[in-house]
Amino acid sequence: LSHAVMPRLRAALTNAWIPEEDWKGLLAPTHASGGTGPSAEEGGGARDGEPHAPGGRAHGGGRALEVVCQWKDALTPQLWGEVLHALVLPKLARAIDRWQPRRASAPEPSARAADTPSAASAPVAASVPVDSGGGEGTRPVAAEDWLLPWLRALGENGSPLHAPTRHKVGSAYGVGAAAAPPSDDSPAAQDEHARLAGRLAQWGPPVLSAPEWQALLARHVLAPLGDHLDLMPIDPADQHVGPVLCAAQWLPAAGPGALAAVLADHLFPRWATALRQWLSRPGAAEAVDLEEVAMWYEGWRSLLPAPLLREAAVRAALDEG
């Protein structure tokens, strides 16, 4: 294996594999060793003599991940360690470094130009050429397509990539990535936050380790939600609830316990104070419409989804009110 397979696998992963472009199947198998099919650059997917799956098995489009995973069991631990630590992890680390979420639609230079052995290491956007019929245009490649499958497959072996991934994923899919601020209570704004929360949730454990995931949520979800809740006026006469609606959209990513803690720290103390002031102002006994107060109270309850209402911190705050 060290003489028959490793040189080809090493050359393919070093020279042909660009993580952000792997959706193209750049490491598709040849039909036979030494075959003369078209090269990757010519659209055939595989270069002459590149490694193929053991026994000639198909591997679903020839993605580098599938080639590497199928060879894992055939390689000795020493050879597998070389593939992992000398070829796969360094190249994925460089791709993560190039990934600039806020410039996802920026023009070339391409990822291929940046990850060839002689290329400069300046960061570029993860945008690759797309053949749309006219031969023009670029398509941003979502990290879910090229990075997420690797992290899922690598498990704990991918832990050196978790910290840099956490920073990029938080910037790409956290609260700050939304065009609409959490104070916007329009349906379109809430849909945007729900979409981002769904994409972010894919990166939770076991993809990222639990400590890295908690650090991501704290910085990119919980802290900005808390900041916007702090700025939200509590006014029974003219109440805007955008930040509360926004926080509820992040339930799939943050979970009910973490969101309940944010509400308990940043919303409910001021909410309870506003309610007490409403009920205790001079002449309140005669002037306050208790039915109106009850409607206001129930209106707040209706904003929160059932998983949050079941949290002890939320129940205690509402009961206090």
Side-chain angles (χ1 to χ4, degrees):
L1 288 176
S2 61
H3 297 292
V5 175
M6 282 300 293
R8 292 175 178 175
L9 188 57
R10 189 181 297 113
L13 291 174
T14 300
N15 299 320
W17 174 43
I18 304 298
E20 303 97 311
E21 298 183 12
D22 200 27
W23 59 274
K24 293 180 177 180
L26 296 178
L27 288 179
T30 55
H31 294 289
S33 179
T36 57
S39 68
E41 289 82 2
E42 293 167 343
R47 291 180 175 176
D48 182 21
E50 283 187 352
H52 51 83
R57 297 192 299 272
H59 49 74
R63 295 171 65 95
L65 172 60
E66 292 162 356
V67 174
V68 168
C69 286
Q70 289 196 2
W71 275 109
K72 176 183 177 181
D73 293 335
L75 297 175
T76 65
Q78 181 180 359
L79 293 178
W80 168 244
E82 178 186 344
V83 169
L84 179 65
H85 296 289
L87 301 175
V88 171
L89 291 179
K91 203 150 197 179
L92 287 174
R94 291 194 296 272
I96 294 168
D97 186 59
R98 287 193 299 271
W99 177 26
Q100 297 190 11
R102 297 180 187 281
R103 295 175 53 209
S105 60
E108 302 296 327
S110 71
R112 172 166 295 277
D115 206 11
T116 55
S118 60
S121 59
V124 298
S127 182
V128 297
V130 170
D131 183 1
S132 58
E136 298 179 353
T138 62
R139 180 175 77 182
V141 182
E144 293 98 318
D145 293 334
W146 63 270
L147 178 56
L148 186 58
W150 275 103
L151 293 179
R152 284 175 172 160
L154 290 173
E156 292 185 358
N157 287 324
S159 58
L161 306 174
H162 288 181
T165 297
R166 179 239 299 176
H167 294 298
K168 295 297 182 76
V169 167
S171 296
Y173 309 127
V175 172
S183 56
D184 187 341
D185 57 4
S186 68
Q190 303 313 309
D191 287 346
E192 182 183 17
H193 283 277
R195 176 182 58 82
L196 286 170
R199 297 184 72 178
L200 181 64
Q202 300 176 89
W203 300 85
V207 175
L208 293 177
S209 66
E212 294 290 353
W213 179 243
Q214 294 304 319
L216 185 158
L217 291 178
R219 177 173 180 178
H220 295 283
V221 176
L222 303 178
L225 289 179
D227 291 342
H228 282 276
L229 287 169
D230 286 338
L231 296 174
M232 185 183 76
I234 307 296
D235 183 1
D238 184 23
Q239 187 63 64
H240 296 278
V241 294
V244 179
L245 294 173
C246 175
Q249 306 308 316
W250 288 92
L251 189 60
L259 283 181
V262 171
L263 294 175
D265 290 341
H266 298 274
L267 172 66
F268 284 123
R270 293 185 302 112
W271 176 85
T273 298
L275 179 57
R276 285 194 298 269
Q277 290 175 345
W278 188 8
L279 294 175
S280 62
R281 68 176 184 262
E286 296 79 18
V288 172
D289 185 340
L290 294 181
E291 183 176 349
E292 184 181 2
V293 174
M295 291 177 59
W296 186 77
Y297 178 88
E298 290 300 325
W300 278 99
R301 287 183 60 91
S302 69
L303 295 176
L304 304 178
L308 281 176
L309 291 173
R310 288 193 291 266
E311 288 294 314
V314 173
R315 292 201 312 270
L318 291 173
D319 289 346
E320 180 184 356

